[in-house]
Amino acid sequence: MYTIYPILLNHKKYRDMKTIFITGASSGIGKATAKLFQAKGWKVIATMRTPENETELTALENVSILPLDVTNDAQIQSTAQSAIASGNIDVVLNNAGHGLFGPLEAVSGEQILKQVNTNFLGPLKVIQAFIPYFREKKSGLFINTTSMAGLTGFPLSSVYNSTKWALEGLSECLSIELSMFGIGVKTVSPDATKTNLFSSADVVAHPLYDDVIKKMIGRIQQTGEAINIAEVIFEAATDGKDQLRYPAGGAAKQIYARRLDIGPEASRIETTKWFLGL
Ligand SMILES: NC(=O)c1ccc[n+]([C@@H]2O[C@H](COP(=O)([O-])OP(=O)(O)OC[C@H]3O[C@@H](n4cnc5c(N)ncnc54)[C@H](OP(=O)(O)O)[C@@H]3O)[C@@H](O)[C@H]2O)c1
């Protein structure tokens, strides 16, 4: 059911098209990116945990669906190999992600493992699976969806932020390490965007933090549109620039620019006052 047809896809018409491989394409930013790249004339390999539920992307020409849970090591290997066997891949977008919000002392070990496995180790292993392929063809681009939470500290999302900081750090290291093989690495860090991220997140409470949580809810709104983040991902994929970070959306650009402007210590103090409403 999920087979890509290698003979068909090796036809010249299809060989000349660029291809993006996307994780977490079932909703939100991943799905918007799949649709945008398809509309721009790319082939799209859209991966997701439950391909059997997908109806929109399956109706689009040049979009293939493959199963991928990024916490499943064996499936990362088999899906990467199926994708590579189907033809040329130009961009791998690590987009799949999950939210975990609440005070650290209330978060369970299981929730922490799920967060780290989904948001950090998953993308890391997907990258590992594609490096030899990109190295051999001396080209290829990894784009990792991080977050403005990966560029600064926030209260009550310490584990989520940590996974995104880790992915930013991994991306910066690999942008240096893989440059010798002609492989690029970029990050796109969205601001709060209208997707399922918050509604599907694990949210934990603790009575001592209730006042802070109320203040935060009043201050963080998912106002951005997924299509705008997809457009930044398209820019990162096609601008040919040797640039690592692409903050996406007004708040992400503003927060990152302010941090660079005043430095991380002053930024931390300013962020504390802003979040706590001081
Ligand atoms: N929305 C925001 O405000 C925001 C801000 C900054 C960064 N981001 C980042 O943007 C990325 C996309 O999130 P989104 O906002 O578009 O939220 P979303 O609509 O909830 O999409 C998340 C996607 O990740 C998938 N996913 C979750 N766990 C997975 C796993 N173990 N294996 C494979 N796929 C998995 C989900 O698949 P299922 O349908 O199977 O659950 C879904 O397709 C995430 O990395 C997120 O951290 C979002």
Side-chain angles (χ1 to χ4, degrees):
M1 179 182 176
Y2 309 124
T3 312
I4 298 177
Y5 300 101
I7 296 169
L8 175 67
L9 295 179
N10 277 322
H11 185 280
K12 185 175 182 320
K13 173 183 163 195
Y14 293 102
R15 271 203 322 265
D16 293 344
M17 292 170 80
K18 293 216 165 222
T19 302
I20 183 168
F21 176 99
I22 303 174
T23 69
S26 64
S27 68
I29 293 167
K31 179 170 270 192
T33 304
K35 287 160 67 179
L36 180 70
F37 276 71
Q38 188 271 349
K40 298 269 190 187
W42 284 53
K43 277 194 292 175
V44 176
I45 301 173
T47 72
M48 57 193 71
R49 289 191 286 193
T50 51
E52 62 276 15
N53 294 342
E54 181 57 41
T55 53
E56 199 177 356
L57 295 179
T58 46
L60 298 179
E61 200 187 354
N62 300 320
V63 177
S64 313
I65 313 287
L66 289 177
L68 182 56
D69 179 336
V70 299
T71 65
N72 180 332
D73 290 4
Q75 201 172 46
I76 289 174
Q77 290 306 321
S78 59
T79 293
Q81 288 317 309
S82 298
I84 289 166
S86 73
N88 197 45
I89 295 168
D90 302 280
V91 178
V92 170
L93 173 66
N94 269 309
N95 166 78
H98 178 66
L100 171 58
F101 305 111
L104 183 63
E105 66 176 292
V107 170
S108 72
E110 197 183 332
Q111 288 169 324
I112 293 169
L113 275 181
K114 180 179 175 188
Q115 188 74 159
V116 172
N117 284 332
T118 307
N119 291 5
F120 179 60
L121 291 178
L124 180 150
K125 289 172 184 174
V126 169
I127 291 171
Q128 271 191 318
F130 280 96
I131 288 175
Y133 166 70
F134 279 170
R135 175 171 45 68
E136 276 168 31
K137 71 177 194 134
K138 298 185 176 59
S139 70
L141 176 64
F142 292 108
I143 302 179
N144 299 320
T145 310
T146 58
S147 170
M148 63 179 178
L151 302 174
T152 189
F154 297 150
L156 304 172
S157 63
S158 57
V159 185
Y160 179 78
N161 280 46
S162 300
T163 60
K164 296 298 188 178
W165 276 73
L167 193 51
E168 283 285 343
L170 176 75
S171 303
E172 184 161 336
C173 295
L174 292 180
S175 75
I176 300 166
E177 181 172 314
L178 298 178
S179 63
M180 65 180 127
F181 302 121
I183 302 170
V185 183
K186 300 187 175 194
T187 66
V188 170
S189 41
D191 63 8
T193 306
K194 286 184 264 177
T195 67
N196 297 336
L197 186 81
F198 285 33
S199 58
S200 66
D202 288 328
V203 180
V204 295
H206 186 294
L208 289 179
Y209 297 81
D210 280 354
D211 286 348
V212 186
I213 290 170
K214 275 185 204 133
K215 275 183 190 155
M216 273 192 70
I217 289 170
R219 283 171 172 255
I220 295 192
Q221 302 291 337
Q222 284 179 287
T223 51
E225 299 291 342
I227 180 62
N228 298 131
I229 309 302
E231 280 163 357
V232 177
I233 293 170
F234 189 77
E235 179 192 343
T238 56
D239 67 6
K241 288 186 186 164
D242 183 9
Q243 175 180 327
L244 173 63
R245 295 198 166 91
Y246 290 72
K253 284 184 188 159
Q254 195 184 352
I255 285 170
Y256 187 49
R258 181 74 181 153
R259 186 177 176 88
L260 293 181
D261 188 28
I262 65 176
E265 286 297 339
S267 166
R268 182 182 59 78
I269 292 164
E270 197 170 83
T271 306
T272 308
K273 288 180 181 164
W274 190 85
F275 270 106
L276 302 188
L278 300 172

